[in-house]
Structure formats: structure tokens, C-alpha cells
Amino acid sequence: MAIRLSKYVERLNDSATLAVAEKARRLRAAGVDVVAFGAGEPDFDTPQHIKDAAVKALAAGDTKYTNPVSGKTALREAICDYTRKYGGVDYKPEQVCVAAGGKDALHLGFAAVLDPGDEVVLPVPYWVSFPEHVKMAGATPVYVQGDRQRGGKIAPPQLAAAITPRTRVFVINSPSNPTGAAYSREEMLEFARVLRDTQVLVFSDEIYHRLAFAEPVVTSFAALPGMYERTVTFNSASKTYAMTGWRIGWACGPELIIRGMSRITSQTTSGATSFVQTALVAALNGDQSCVEEMRQAYRRRCDVMHGGLSRLRGFSCPKPDGAYYCFPDVSKTFASLGVVDASGFAEAVLERAHVALVPGNAFGWDTHVRLSFATSEGQIEEGLRRLGKLFGG
Ligand code: PLP
């Protein structure tokens, strides 16, 4: 019998970031010492007080379906307090939907508002899953090319030019995966001015909002004048609290959209894991010094990695404002490696220097590669030494 996949699945790409991690894992299993700059997850363990809260919740029988599916009331209240404190935005618990990670929350958000034929304005380079989420909803990504000199940021007139009567959503991700670039409040205000007289929603992915280097938090788009009613803010415990494997994230926004997301949740996952929700309350309400310690560590590592990459021949890399990625343009090295794009570059570097990184093709730019510095300074220095041997500088 010939098995056939749905058109829905055929339209999707596999996650390229996970594919590189898998290739590096196979090399390692074969005994090769690989320096991994591929994975977009903190190397830190989840802080102990958060783990303790999960263990305590489990011991107390916090093992049942949660009600409502959009998240336990205590958690949605904690998210409201947290968002007021770190985003300067006021929400009611009815405006919060908890999900199995930021990725799940984004998927629910797109599914809740998009119809086939709708358009979503997406700055390039973008986080790998944005176009796929848009396509899953049957809608069309409209790509806006970022400025290579400004860390891939787009300018407000470009946003204005991309908006058509079919535009439903503008996606902003600041600080960005893959560039680490963050928009200033002034730049965001310019976007807000463009959007003010339109019917366009904003999906603001603020997953790295507490991992900015110049200031402890970046401006939340919903806090800008006139933007609250049209913005859905996405966040997660993954990066802020080093909780990638726990799979918990959330969205805050207009009640109608949140209700739509909850309705989908009620027919899919039935909500995020019960004791993980309780642990997230402990994370959000508890001591925040762990976040500051991790932010400072990323800032130091950023200096080491960015400094090292800037010395490599053929690499050009704007300094990231936050998150934990460098995204250099490596196209000037292609000829010497005998490759034609970033995928070829990533394969050559993995084979010849045993350094794993992610080709920019997955993020919309095949001239760039992403290196994550969510790893120890020792590993960063070793990776740079290997790249130095290959490229000089
Ligand atoms: N958004 C961005 C920009 C990300 O980089 C990631 C993870 O890498 C996510 C969303 C999803 O994170 P999670 O599903 O682990 O919360």
C-alpha cells in the first residue's frame, strides 16, 4: 500500500535547528569531540527552587487535568503580576492562555486568527517556526528583508509598504532569534505609528525579553500607546528560567483571541502539564537573582564570542543586543571552502573543524550562520580556536 502524507504536512519543513543538533549528536556518538554552537537552549540547569516546587506539587498529587485549559488561575494571576512588573502591561487572567511552550502558544495564536488567504508580515531573518506556523494556518508569510548592517532589523517604511488589505498580523521578535538584535523603544514607536490606522494585529515574541544586555528588560510592544488592543505577547519559561524541557509558555492579549486559543487547546492538548504550571508559579513569583546571573553570564559570553568571530577572516557580525546568538555573514568564506551557501558552510565546518552551527538558510538568509553562546566560555574559546585554524585571523 502506498502511504501518502497530507498536503498540510508536505508544506512544512523539518526544524533545521533540531536537524543540526541531531547530526552533531551522531558524530559525538561516533566518538568525535564536537563543539556545539547549534542548540538554542540554555546550558544552565533549572534553578533549584523551581525544581523543588515541581517535586512538592507532584508529592501533593498535582497530577490531574487542569481547569480551565487555558491555565490554573494561580498561574494566570502570577503571569499577570509578572507582565505588569517586567512589561509594564496590565492584563486580567482571562487575557492569558498557558501553553506547552512558547512555540505551542504561537501556534495556537496563529491558528486562532488566520484564515487561508490572509497575510502575515514577517521580518527576515526570522525564527524558523514563524513561516511554518503561518503556513499551517493556510495563510501566507510576506517577507520583509532586514538591514544587514543593523542586525537584520527592518525599518518602519518597509512595514508600511508590506501591509495590504489581506494583512492580519505583523510579527516582531525582540531580542531576535537568530540575530540577537533588539528594537529600541523609539524604533518600536515608529512601528506603532505605522500600525495605528490599520487593522493589523501584532504578535510580539518576547521570549528573550529578560536576556537583553544593555538593560534588564526590553520594551514590551503592548506597552506602547495604542498598541494594547491589537497586540498578543508571547513568552515562555524556556529561556528566562532555563526550562526548555518543561514545555511551558504563555500568551497575553485581547480576550477574544485568548478564548480562541483556549478553544483549540480544549480539543488538542487539554492544557499544559499540571505540576509544571505550579512550578512556573514558583519561578515567576520567586527570587529572580537566577535570571540576572544568567543574563550576566550570557553578556560575558557574548563579548567572548563576538570578539572572536570579528577577528575571523571573512566573518562579519553586528554585536547582538540580547538573547544568546551571534549571526555572522560568512559568505566571503564560501569560495575558499568550495561551498555555495550557508548549508554547505555548516557541513564543511562540522566535518573539518568539528564545530556545529546552524545554517542561516533556515532563518531566511543563506549567507549567514547562527552560533549559540548558551554554552561555557571554555567551549566558546575552543570553538573559536578551531574556527581560527580553519579561517585564520
Ligand atoms: N520564539 C523564539 C524566538 C524562540 O527562539 C523560541 C525557541 O527557541 C521559541 C519561540 C519557543 O520556545 P519554547 O517553545 O521552548 O518556549
Side-chain angles (χ1 to χ4, degrees):
M1 170 194 165
I3 298 176
R4 184 177 60 77
L5 284 175
S6 66
K7 292 197 175 49
Y8 168 84
V9 172
E10 278 174 358
R11 274 201 305 269
L12 296 181
N13 290 313
D14 278 320
S15 167
T17 36
L18 301 182
V20 175
E22 173 56 17
K23 201 164 183 182
R25 193 196 59 76
R26 267 190 267 126
L27 266 180
R28 264 210 210 98
V32 179
D33 167 29
V34 174
V35 174
F37 292 145
E41 70 177 338
D43 57 321
F44 298 107
D45 197 1
T46 306
Q48 192 59 42
H49 67 281
I50 303 173
K51 289 186 187 177
D52 290 345
V55 171
K56 201 168 147 207
L58 266 174
D62 188 356
T63 56
K64 305 293 183 205
Y65 288 130
T66 53
N67 224 326
V69 294
S70 57
K72 293 182 183 190
T73 304
L75 174 55
R76 285 178 300 124
E77 281 169 359
I79 289 170
C80 292
D81 291 344
Y82 176 90
T83 308
R84 203 169 297 122
K85 186 162 176 198
Y86 294 105
V89 190
D90 257 311
Y91 289 107
K92 298 179 290 185
E94 298 73 42
Q95 292 176 278
V96 178
C97 183
V98 177
K103 193 182 263 187
D104 185 36
L106 280 153
H107 179 219
L108 291 170
F110 285 116
V113 304
L114 293 178
D115 280 316
D118 287 343
E119 294 177 353
V120 174
V121 177
L122 205 52
V124 186
Y126 43 72
W127 175 54
V128 288
S129 296
F130 289 141
E132 306 307 314
H133 286 179
V134 173
K135 286 190 266 172
M136 278 191 258
T140 308
V142 173
Y143 298 110
V144 177
Q145 289 297 325
D147 182 344
R148 281 157 201 265
Q149 309 307 321
R150 294 175 57 241
K153 292 201 269 188
I154 67 162
Q158 291 180 282
L159 170 61
I163 291 174
T164 74
R166 290 169 180 255
T167 309
R168 282 282 281 152
V169 181
F170 165 52
V171 177
I172 184 165
N173 171 215
S174 173
S176 145
N177 177 2
T179 67
Y183 288 100
S184 66
R185 183 179 164 81
E186 289 64 37
E187 287 170 320
M188 287 196 186
L189 280 168
E190 290 284 311
F191 288 131
R193 260 176 229 122
V194 170
L195 294 165
R196 207 169 34 202
D197 300 321
T198 71
Q199 296 296 310
V200 177
L201 295 165
V202 178
F203 277 16
S204 184
D205 180 337
E206 301 182 8
I207 267 159
Y208 298 98
H209 76 143
R210 293 184 65 194
L211 300 180
F213 303 139
E215 46 189 348
V217 211
V218 295
T219 300
S220 184
F221 205 87
L224 301 175
M227 291 298 107
Y228 180 80
E229 289 75 14
R230 69 174 69 225
T231 301
V232 186
T233 308
F234 295 88
N235 214 323
S236 160
S238 287
K239 320 287 171 165
T240 309
Y241 298 105
M243 290 175 67
T244 44
W246 297 66
R247 308 310 306 135
I248 191 144
W250 63 91
C252 303
E255 224 173 307
L256 183 69
I257 298 177
I258 295 296
R259 272 207 302 275
M261 294 170 65
S262 306
R263 198 184 297 166
I264 302 171
T265 303
S266 75
Q267 298 293 4
T268 53
T269 60
S270 295
T273 306
S274 55
F275 50 88
V276 172
Q277 293 196 34
T278 304
L280 181 55
V281 174
L284 299 175
N285 289 346
D287 180 5
Q288 300 294 301
S289 57
C290 53
V291 180
E292 184 57 16
E293 278 161 28
M294 288 190 267
R295 185 176 80 96
Q296 293 299 347
Y298 291 132
R299 182 150 74 171
R300 281 193 302 277
R301 294 164 177 191
C302 178
D303 289 341
V304 177
M305 183 175 266
H306 179 261
L309 292 178
S310 303
R311 284 190 287 277
L312 294 177
R313 211 164 293 138
F315 282 56
S316 155
C317 185
K319 189 151 189 199
D321 302 310
Y324 38 64
Y325 308 105
C326 282
F327 196 58
D329 181 345
V330 291
S331 56
K332 289 208 174 79
T333 69
F334 290 171
S336 68
L337 288 175
V339 302
V340 294
D341 69 358
S343 287
F345 176 99
E347 276 197 29
V349 166
L350 185 54
E351 275 162 26
R352 291 167 61 177
H354 298 153
V355 172
L357 34 76
V358 187
N361 307 49
F363 308 99
W365 277 0
D366 64 5
T367 45
H368 288 58
V369 288
R370 191 193 75 177
L371 297 92
S372 160
F373 47 86
T375 185
S376 70
E377 277 178 51
Q379 281 288 286
I380 295 171
E381 273 155 10
E382 174 58 19
L384 289 169
R385 194 188 61 74
R386 294 182 189 189
L387 293 173
K389 267 175 80 178
L390 192 56
F391 297 104

